[in-house]
């Protein structure tokens, strides 16, 4: 195992400082009890605890469970062959700087861990590996994928995890490794590979959930659901994020595999890492297939929507054509009926000097004139298919 870098003396813990303050205070009578408050104040909100779990291991078995970072540093110094595994959740800047000073972490890696929002990557700073992972979780209620970020520092005798979300559940990873001390005794790299395996295994439920969503979307597309376009777009964006989480991970794992001979990685860890690489490659291929399928579904949906719009326009055109035909019929019959009305109106005028008033054939002539005009108009409209 590489020699542990020199570390600065750890500062006294908060418990020790409190003890010094108590011992420095002179004996005195207890202070008078405070006057009762008129109303009980609301309890303060629970304080955020950055250190989720911290432990020191020797030969793969936990020998200490310090409550603070300072105690962890002290316990690790007392175990020359030990390994520290520190789990943090949204740590403060001062906590990360104290870890950087103790374990000689590079300032750029610490800055990335503070800012978060990093792409998946693997960087080596001397004897320390800095790994950025993006875990995923499928939310059944919302039918969407949630992504969280995980940073891991791996050194000769320490492993530090910095989570910026609720996933992945590293306590289960720690319990599984503690149940297999032979594997954990291989060092921090074994814990790193277990974390990689947990992140990659967490992709499997997401893949199944997305597959179910795509099946439902295909049904909605052919059913003509108008809201399906928005769902396709949102799921496509999630698949872009999924690709950003899985595709770099393939290269990272192959980079670790390429360094087996150089860094003398144990054969058991080599097999372990190859299995993780196979899983993430399979997941990455599935995600690529999902994105391609969503693109094709979106194209089919656009075609179906276009066909539906064309059918609606055709129906409107047919309705307009039928309406025009009815209007032509009405107009033709109105013109036919207007002819006798016009003749009757003229001959119905009450003028004494009008011609044909004393004509004996005037009435038959008027009737014949009406009939000729009506028949002529009917024949004309019939030839033009208005009737």
């Amino acid at each position: 195992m590489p020699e542990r870098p020199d570390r600065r003396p750890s500062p006294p813990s908060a418990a020790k400082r409190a003890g010094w303050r108590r011992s420095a205070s002179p004996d005195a009578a207890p202070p008078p009890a405070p006057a009762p408050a008129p109303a009980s104040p609301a309890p303060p909100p629970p304080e955020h605890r950055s250190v989720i779990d911290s432990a020191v291991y020797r030969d793969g078995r936990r020998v200490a469970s310090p409550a603070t970072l300072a105690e962890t540093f002290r316990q690790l110094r007392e175990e020359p062959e030990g390994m520290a595994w520190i789990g943090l959740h949204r740590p403060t800047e001062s906590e990360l700087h104290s870890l950087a000073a103790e374990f000689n972490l590079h300032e750029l890696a610490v800055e990335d861990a503070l800012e978060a929002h990093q792409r998946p990557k693997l960087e080596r700073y001397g004897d320390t590996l800095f790994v950025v992972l993006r875990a995923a979780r499928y939310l059944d209620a919302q039918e969407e994928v949630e992504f969280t970020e995980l940073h891991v520092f791996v050194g000769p005798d320490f492993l530090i995890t910095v989570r910026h979300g609720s996933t992945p559940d590293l306590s289960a990873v720690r319990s599984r490794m503690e149940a297999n001390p032979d594997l954990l005794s291989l060092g921090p790299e074994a814990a790193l590979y277990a974390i990689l395996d947990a992140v990659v295994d967490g992709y499997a439920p997401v893949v199944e959930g997305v597959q179910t969503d795509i099946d439902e979307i295909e049904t909605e597309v052919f059913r003509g659901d108008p809201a399906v376009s928005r769902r396709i777009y949102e799921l496509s964006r999630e698949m872009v994020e999924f690709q950003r989480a899985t595709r770099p991970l393939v290269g990272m794992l192959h980079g670790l595999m390429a360094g087996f001979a150089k860094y003398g990685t144990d054969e058991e860890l080599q097999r372990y890492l190859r299995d993780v690489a196979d899983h993430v490659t399979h997941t990455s291929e599935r995600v690529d297939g999902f994105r391609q399928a969503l693109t094709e579904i979106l194209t089919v949906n656009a075609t179906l929507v276009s066909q539906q719009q064309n059918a609606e326009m055709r129906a409107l055109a047919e309705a307009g054509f039928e309406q025009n035909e009815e209007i032509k019929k009405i107009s033709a019959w109105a013109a036919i009926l207007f002819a006798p009305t016009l003749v009757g109106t003229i001959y119905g005028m009450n003028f004494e000097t009008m011609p044909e008033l004393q004509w004996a054939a005037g009435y038959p002539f008027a009737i014949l004139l009406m009939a000729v005009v009506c028949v002529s108009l009917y024949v004309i409209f019939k030839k033009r298919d208005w009737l």
Side-chain angles (χ1 to χ4, degrees), residues 83 85 154 159 173 177 182-195 269 272:
M83 178 194 80
W85 185 346
V154 184
L159 183 137
V173 178
M177 292 298 292
D182 292 337
L183 181 60
L184 186 57
S185 64
L186 297 178
E189 283 186 347
L192 171 63
Y193 298 157
I195 293 172
L269 292 183
Y272 194 80

Side-chain angles (χ1 to χ4, degrees), residues 84-271:
W85 185 346
I86 302 172
L88 303 175
H89 179 243
R90 294 177 182 171
T92 63
E93 184 175 355
S94 60
E95 288 174 331
L96 278 181
H97 285 164
S98 67
L99 288 167
E102 177 69 19
F103 297 114
N104 295 327
L105 305 180
H106 198 279
E107 59 181 4
L108 294 179
V110 174
E111 182 180 352
D112 288 345
L114 279 172
E115 294 179 357
H117 304 292
Q118 303 293 318
R119 62 177 179 82
K121 61 182 179 180
L122 184 148
E123 296 177 344
R124 184 176 292 275
Y125 299 96
D127 292 336
T128 302
L129 280 178
F130 177 60
V131 183
V132 178
L133 303 172
R134 299 204 62 191
R137 180 177 62 166
Y138 185 79
L139 305 178
D140 291 325
Q142 295 84 358
E143 292 186 342
E144 61 183 27
V145 183
E146 178 188 62
F147 297 94
T148 55
E149 199 164 324
L150 173 65
H151 298 182
V152 185
F153 296 90
V154 184
D157 59 349
F158 66 89
L159 183 137
I160 303 169
T161 59
V162 180
R163 287 192 295 123
H164 291 277
S166 57
T167 54
D169 184 11
L170 297 182
S171 62
V173 178
R174 189 189 292 263
S175 299
R176 182 161 59 90
M177 292 298 292
E178 289 180 349
N180 189 356
D182 292 337
L183 181 60
L184 186 57
S185 64
L186 297 178
E189 283 186 347
L192 171 63
Y193 298 157
I195 293 172
L196 289 171
D197 186 52
V199 171
V200 173
D201 286 347
Y203 294 153
V206 179
V207 170
E208 295 303 322
V210 172
Q211 181 64 67
T212 302
D213 287 346
I214 292 177
D215 294 340
E216 293 176 355
I217 286 174
E218 289 177 343
T219 303
E220 293 172 359
V221 164
F222 291 101
R223 194 170 53 196
D225 191 340
V228 70
S229 297
R230 181 181 181 88
R231 189 176 182 188
I232 295 173
Y233 174 74
E234 292 176 348
L235 190 57
S236 298
R237 291 195 54 147
E238 292 177 355
M239 289 306 96
V240 172
E241 291 295 322
F242 209 174
Q243 279 185 324
R244 292 174 180 171
T246 57
R247 186 171 292 175
L249 194 55
V250 175
M252 290 164 52
L253 291 172
H254 283 87
L256 286 174
M257 292 166 62
F260 284 163
K262 180 178 179 180
Y263 297 100
T265 306
D266 184 83
E267 291 185 1
E268 180 67 17
L269 292 183
Q270 293 183 26
R271 288 190 290 267

